[in-house]
Amino acid sequence: YTISKTEGTLTVTPATLTVTAVDQSMTYGDTATLAPGNGVTYSGFVGGEDESTAGITGAVAYAYATGGGTPVTVSNTLSAGTYTITPSGIAAANYTLEFKPGTLTVSASSAMTVSATGYSAKYDGAAHGISVSSVPAGTTLYYSLTDQTYPNSSFSETNPQYTDVTGAITIYVAAVNSNYVTAYGSATVEITKRSVTLTSDPATQVYNGTALTRPTVTLGGDGFVTGEGFVSTPAATGSQTDVGNSANTIAEPALQEN
């Protein structure tokens, strides 16, 4: 016999091993909850192998990005939202590694509070509202005259202002920031009346047949706000000629129109 041989080729191709980043979560601004990529899961080992016996080399690295693919750095200032965690950096001779992303969820912080200060004083001709302090940068304040939960049509970015005398008016405020849970506060505006007193002078004389008058009038109390007051100078119109006494009556002029 003449024996000839044609030898075939035995080919073993790599199995597919899926490597998925473990989902993580943290709270905006809270270093204690900072949890960047911390582990992966594997799917596709064969022959009873696992990550310790499959000949995996290298060390897992993690890349973070927005949903649109823009890279981000994980820190306690990373804005609230969801981000992809993409693993890489390892290999195995018998496997083709397929890397799949996990999700990093940054939750809004509940640390924001609203410190609202009201106004209570006498009328001064100026406009007054409430003031809000100690809110983080990037916060938008919305005001309402009713106690509501934002968003609501009663809210506006305009801080209500009052000039004239009012009863006690409560103004509610919502502090809105994408990195924080919406916080609420309120304060009261109350403008009370000013007191203006008019005093005519007393006077005495010995009877001489002529009328005793004293037209001077003194303004006291809180007085008028600058630019406001009577249209003319008040005067006392009392007159006493005969022995006796009478009131030194004050003629009160009309008030100026605002």
Side-chain angles (χ1 to χ4, degrees):
Y1 299 87
T2 300
I3 299 174
S4 62
K5 297 186 293 181
T6 300
E7 297 180 341
T9 301
L10 303 176
T11 303
V12 178
T13 59
T16 298
L17 179 65
T18 301
V19 183
T20 305
V22 175
D23 292 341
Q24 300 293 328
S25 63
M26 59 178 282
T27 300
Y28 174 81
D30 188 354
T31 303
T33 64
L34 184 62
N38 185 25
V40 294
T41 59
Y42 297 92
S43 176
F45 285 118
V46 297
E49 293 182 329
D50 58 26
E51 60 265 35
S52 63
T53 60
I56 295 175
T57 59
V60 180
Y62 303 92
Y64 309 89
T66 65
T70 302
V72 297
T73 299
V74 177
S75 72
N76 64 344
T77 61
L78 183 61
S79 296
T82 57
Y83 302 86
T84 59
I85 310 172
T86 303
S88 64
I90 56 175
N94 290 327
Y95 295 89
T96 297
L97 271 58
E98 181 180 289
F99 294 100
K100 290 190 174 181
T103 300
L104 171 63
T105 301
V106 182
S107 301
S109 170
S110 60
M112 181 169 63
T113 58
V114 173
S115 176
T117 302
Y119 178 84
S120 179
K122 294 178 180 179
Y123 169 76
D124 63 0
H128 299 280
I130 68 171
S131 60
V132 178
S133 60
S134 303
V135 293
T139 300
T140 301
L141 299 176
Y142 295 92
Y143 302 88
S144 173
L145 296 179
T146 57
D147 189 5
Q148 301 287 341
T149 300
Y150 182 87
N152 181 282
S153 60
S154 68
F155 282 99
S156 167
E157 290 186 54
T158 301
N159 185 353
Q161 301 289 303
Y162 299 91
T163 301
D164 296 329
V165 172
T166 68
I169 298 174
T170 300
I171 299 174
Y172 301 90
V173 60
V176 179
N177 186 312
S178 60
N179 290 322
Y180 295 87
V181 175
T182 299
Y184 299 90
S186 65
T188 300
V189 174
E190 184 173 16
I191 300 173
T192 56
K193 291 183 177 182
R194 299 175 73 86
S195 172
V196 178
T197 60
L198 303 178
T199 304
S200 61
D201 291 344
T204 302
Q205 72 178 19
V206 176
Y207 173 74
N208 61 10
T210 62
L212 172 61
T213 61
R214 188 59 60 87
T216 302
V217 173
T218 302
L219 272 67
D222 299 319
F224 288 106
V225 170
T226 300
E228 298 183 7
F230 295 117
V231 296
S232 61
T233 302
T237 60
S239 177
Q240 182 73 28
T241 301
D242 295 331
V243 173
N245 58 71
S246 59
N248 191 9
T249 306
I250 299 172
E252 181 181 332
L255 290 171
Q256 297 176 9
E257 293 185 4
N258 292 341

